[in-house]
Amino acid sequence: MAKGEVKLLGSWPSPYVMRARIALNLKSVEYEFLEEKLGVKSELLLKSNPVHKKIPVLLHHSKPICESLVIVQYIDEVWSSGPAILPSDPYDRAVARFWASYVDEKFFPALRALPMAQGKEAMEAAMHPVKEGLALLEDAYANHSKGGPFFGGGQISYLDVAFGCFLGVIRVSEKVTGVALINEHTTPGLAGWAEEFCAHPAVEDVMPDTDKLTEFINRIIKMKSQSPN
Amino acid sequence: MTKEVVLLDLWLSPFGMRVRVALAEKGVEYEYREEDLGNKSQLLLQMNPVHKKIPVLIHNGKPICESLVIVQYIDETWKDKAPLLPSDPYQRAEARFWADYIDKQIYSCGRMLWTTKGEEQDAAKKELKECFKLLEEHLGDRTYFGGDNLGFVDVALISFYSWFYAYETCGNFKMEEWCPKIVSWAKTCMQRESVSKSLVDPLKVCHDFVLPRRKTLGLD
């Protein structure tokens, strides 16, 4: 099923890289995972993504594709015989793209700030937009999942991949703050969805272990506090 | 009788203009509704409760939000005419990448340029110049970013042409000197009715909105 040489430049903690890996797994595509080292960008990365110099980069027959959601759509279109990632109906596609864009532009920036918040007041202030975002996503899940268990209904799909990749960071934030951001009480739909998503064969091996990710994020926070760049 | 396609928009929005161009390319008739962002309509708040922003395309009563999501929706729904995305997956990925780049860079740099002065403005100017030069390099010798025809990236970028004059006036520079190929590309696009009828007069954007706003902000 693999269509030629496929490589992915990435790193295990990155949610954006995870999106690409899940998509490749969904299509049963064999690929070589080239792990970038923290703090050092490889020659190959700089050459393949000169505009942003960021991971993930998919290399297909040595041609680079950059930006995680562009990569996911590319994988969906090239390996078209595998299970569809984007829905087929244009309106459903627009809804999926809208929420993926929301997750990238509003939700993740708020989520990312949470583990960095120092002190009770800062923590509470940082928590607010994250909880708001989760409430919106809970609504989206209720409105569009057609009974679930995934945003895509019975099958894992684009929005599951776009949002689910952040479950690692969500779990770290829950651990650090002691607050269950996704829970049976306030976000029952998302609580069920998160379990199903993480247990999915395309996801379980690439979702980072919470303790390992916590340690990694703490290292980043330490690095940032030591050198204000 | 409600029209099948309604666009909630703001005359000078580069995001709204993208949608107008896409609809015109496809020959889709629609009802244009101007929003007053200081007094948002019930319809806008109902159709885009998450962001409460324009543009919003309403098709058979169902809302689609976010300009590039809307443009792709238009391309996929009215697919028999003027395809905006190419059929080859790699070229589609390239087009999406550059549209995303335009979204991330041009609006925010441009906005920084016209809402600031001094060092902050100089920094924005430098960044905006780099962005346009990169886009010019990507355009190369092609007529359009889409090749022989107007494509997704052309639609994503051309709406900013209405803002070029405002950027030039506020930043005291000439786009022609920065990126002549981009200016020539824009003029080529403007020869198409779908573009010329969808974009607003750059002088109006500058004199009716940007310069008065700068005065209000105490920048001039």
Side-chain angles (χ1 to χ4, degrees):
Chain A
M1 248 202 241
K3 280 193 185 169
E5 201 187 59
V6 183
K7 297 183 187 188
L8 182 69
L9 304 184
S11 71
W12 67 265
S14 164
Y16 301 110
V17 171
M18 209 189 311
R19 288 170 170 175
R21 297 182 84 179
I22 295 170
L24 289 165
N25 288 348
L26 284 169
K27 300 286 190 175
S28 305
V29 175
E30 279 179 30
Y31 64 98
E32 190 185 345
F33 186 58
L34 300 171
E35 184 99 35
E36 286 284 315
K37 287 192 178 71
L38 177 65
V40 181
K41 292 179 201 246
S42 71
E43 270 303 304
L44 184 57
L45 174 60
L46 297 174
K47 193 181 83 165
S48 309
N49 191 358
V51 175
H52 298 301
K53 305 175 179 53
K54 283 183 177 177
I55 47 155
V57 178
L58 185 76
L59 291 160
H60 189 203
H61 299 302
S62 304
K63 294 206 295 192
I65 301 102
C66 310
E67 289 302 297
S68 63
L69 294 179
V70 175
I71 294 172
V72 169
Q73 289 180 90
Y74 176 80
I75 291 167
D76 196 28
E77 290 168 8
V78 169
W79 288 275
S80 51
S81 56
I85 299 175
L86 266 157
S88 53
D89 174 69
Y91 188 75
D92 293 339
R93 289 158 79 91
V95 170
R97 284 177 176 138
F98 170 84
W99 284 107
S101 164
Y102 170 80
V103 163
D104 270 357
E105 277 156 43
K106 294 271 180 298
F107 180 71
F108 188 56
L111 178 68
R112 192 169 37 194
L114 196 46
M116 312 271 182
Q118 302 289 330
K120 189 166 180 251
E121 256 181 59
M123 190 85 83
E124 272 172 24
M127 191 88 68
H128 184 68
V130 176
K131 284 186 170 174
E132 255 188 4
L134 287 170
L136 284 173
L137 287 157
E138 172 77 14
D139 265 348
Y141 178 81
N143 291 334
H144 300 290
S145 63
K146 302 176 178 108
F150 300 109
F151 278 91
Q155 302 287 341
I156 205 172
S157 78
Y158 188 71
L159 183 51
D160 297 284
V161 177
F163 175 39
C165 66
F166 294 117
L167 281 168
V169 181
I170 289 173
R171 284 171 170 175
V172 169
S173 301
E174 288 177 332
K175 195 174 157 159
V176 162
T177 60
V179 174
L181 295 166
I182 291 182
N183 62 76
E184 298 282 334
H185 179 61
T186 55
T187 59
L190 293 183
W193 163 80
E195 265 193 57
E196 293 278 352
F197 182 81
C198 293
H200 194 285
V203 177
E204 57 185 350
D205 290 339
V206 297
M207 180 65 72
D209 168 71
T210 308
D211 289 335
K212 208 177 161 199
L213 190 60
T214 307
E215 194 197 349
F216 176 82
I217 289 175
N218 283 336
R219 225 190 316 154
I220 301 274
I221 295 173
K222 206 173 176 184
M223 266 170 66
K224 283 197 168 153
S225 66
Q226 281 166 358
S227 71
N229 250 14
Chain B
M1 185 169 148
T2 334
K3 262 230 163 82
E4 192 185 287
V5 183
V6 178
L7 175 63
L8 306 183
D9 201 348
L10 180 67
W11 68 279
L12 49 52
S13 163
F15 305 108
M17 282 187 261
R18 287 170 169 172
V19 179
R20 287 175 236 165
V21 172
L23 288 166
E25 277 286 303
K26 301 287 186 172
V28 175
E29 273 184 36
Y30 65 97
E31 182 190 339
Y32 177 92
R33 290 202 199 171
E34 183 79 19
E35 281 287 327
D36 172 4
L37 295 188
N39 183 23
K40 296 180 186 185
S41 71
Q42 266 310 304
L43 186 62
L44 173 59
L45 298 175
Q46 190 195 346
M47 292 285 142
N48 191 357
V50 175
H51 301 299
K52 306 174 177 58
K53 283 181 172 177
I54 53 92
V56 178
L57 188 76
I58 309 171
H59 186 203
N60 293 326
K62 298 201 291 192
I64 303 103
C65 310
E66 293 297 296
S67 63
L68 292 183
V69 175
I70 299 172
V71 171
Q72 287 185 90
Y73 174 81
I74 290 167
D75 199 32
E76 291 166 10
T77 303
W78 290 277
K79 53 182 188 259
D80 296 330
K81 190 182 173 185
L84 296 172
L85 272 164
S87 49
D88 172 67
Y90 190 76
Q91 287 176 9
R92 288 161 76 86
E94 264 198 339
R96 285 179 175 134
F97 173 87
W98 285 102
D100 174 73
Y101 175 83
I102 290 161
D103 247 10
K104 283 184 170 119
Q105 305 289 346
I106 304 295
Y107 179 74
S108 55
C109 284
R111 191 184 160 79
M112 191 62 82
L113 190 150
W114 74 263
T115 57
T116 62
K117 61 179 177 182
E119 263 180 43
E120 244 188 305
Q121 192 187 55
D122 287 340
K125 240 174 105 171
K126 187 166 176 264
E127 221 187 313
L128 191 67
K129 186 178 185 180
E130 276 167 20
C131 293
F132 277 116
K133 285 187 99 64
L134 191 63
L135 286 163
E136 190 175 56
E137 200 185 301
H138 174 61
L139 176 66
D141 291 321
R142 292 178 289 178
T143 310
Y144 299 106
F145 286 93
D148 293 328
N149 281 303
L150 202 78
F152 192 57
V153 179
D154 300 282
V155 174
L157 186 61
I158 193 56
S159 53
F160 289 100
Y161 177 69
S162 290
W163 283 75
F164 282 9
Y165 182 71
Y167 296 155
E168 290 172 321
T169 307
C170 296
N172 191 30
F173 68 94
K174 287 271 175 253
M175 284 290 286
E176 182 69 46
E177 283 165 13
W178 276 10
C179 46
K181 277 189 179 172
I182 291 285
V183 175
S184 136
W185 158 83
K187 288 180 176 161
T188 303
C189 289
M190 283 293 282
Q191 282 166 14
R192 298 171 82 94
E193 211 176 78
S194 62
V195 176
S196 61
K197 291 222 159 132
S198 303
L199 265 51
V200 296
D201 181 5
L203 266 74
K204 241 189 133 200
V205 171
C206 184
H207 294 297
D208 290 3
F209 176 74
V210 174
L211 293 181
R213 185 59 74 93
R214 275 183 72 84
K215 238 185 180 144
T216 315
L217 293 169
L219 293 166
D220 287 329

